Amino acid sequence: MAGACPYGDLFEHIDRGNVECLNESPERPVSNIFPTSDSGSTGNCLESDTDEELLLNIPFRQNVKVYSLEFTAPNDGRKPNGIKVFINQSNLAFEDCESLPALQDIELDWSPAGDVQKAVVLTRFVKFQSVNTIHLYVKSNTEDSPTTCLSGLTILGVANGDQFKWNPKQG
């Protein structure tokens, strides 16, 4: 299959019990953006509480290489626009995100995907080779809405060491 992405969803490597989000609405927490174990679909959405900013801290159970980030959001002005990506920080707060240089600073380019919008961002892969925690600072949304809403996040990559496992189906 030419051109297929050799990387997979890193969901199984996320330490879901320690994922946290600053400024999340209690009614729409960060757990909503990850697949549920039963259906494979996400919950409603993650929504900010007091303003448009969100700070997601997503730890992994082992070091991973992150190839891309895929965001899904409602088709309205609450979808994220500007995001700063950091890795392997401890106790990252909003003030840190504003003062520290991001590993990657992105503006999302949204495309229709059925009833929602989708944005895919390729990381600067060489800088994302040994990630134990990824931090996503959502600094703005697309239409200066009072809150930001994210309905899905897929992190594509490979767990360190997995790229060397022999697969008899591939040879």
Side-chain angles (χ1 to χ4, degrees):
M1 182 185 272
C5 177
Y7 303 102
D9 187 345
L10 291 173
F11 175 71
E12 69 184 60
H13 299 288
I14 294 174
D15 182 1
R16 292 184 296 277
N18 288 310
V19 171
E20 65 178 7
C21 183
L22 302 182
N23 193 36
E24 69 182 357
S25 166
E27 294 82 28
R28 294 185 171 183
V30 69
S31 59
N32 286 350
I33 64 171
F34 296 112
T36 60
S37 57
D38 299 339
S39 66
S41 64
T42 60
N44 189 358
C45 75
L46 162 64
E47 188 164 13
S48 60
D49 192 26
T50 59
D51 60 23
E52 73 277 6
E53 294 181 309
L54 290 166
L55 177 55
L56 289 83
N57 297 300
I58 303 169
F60 296 95
R61 288 186 266 129
Q62 70 183 84
N63 281 353
V64 298
K65 297 178 182 192
V66 177
Y67 174 74
S68 68
L69 304 167
E70 296 182 1
F71 300 92
T72 308
N75 193 11
D76 61 26
R78 298 177 299 155
K79 48 187 185 286
N81 185 32
I83 296 180
K84 290 175 92 173
V85 184
F86 303 88
I87 62 168
N88 304 339
Q89 301 288 319
S90 59
N91 302 317
L92 197 62
F94 284 110
E95 300 80 35
D96 302 320
C97 294
E98 293 166 2
S99 62
L100 292 173
L103 195 58
Q104 192 162 342
D105 201 344
I106 54 180
E107 295 294 320
L108 296 176
D109 184 20
W110 293 95
S111 301
D115 294 340
V116 296
Q117 296 274 309
K118 184 176 261 193
V120 178
V121 176
L122 298 178
T123 63
R124 294 184 191 128
F125 192 55
V126 71
K127 295 185 176 199
F128 289 81
Q129 293 295 297
S130 187
V131 179
N132 60 43
T133 305
I134 192 165
H135 313 273
L136 304 173
Y137 168 53
V138 178
K139 54 188 179 179
S140 62
N141 56 41
T142 57
E143 295 180 17
D144 293 325
S145 179
T147 62
T148 297
C149 189
L150 186 63
S151 55
L153 171 64
T154 302
I155 304 171
L156 293 177
V158 63
N160 282 349
D162 283 358
Q163 70 271 28
F164 301 115
K165 290 183 180 175
W166 180 65
N167 182 341
K169 293 179 183 174
Q170 293 179 348

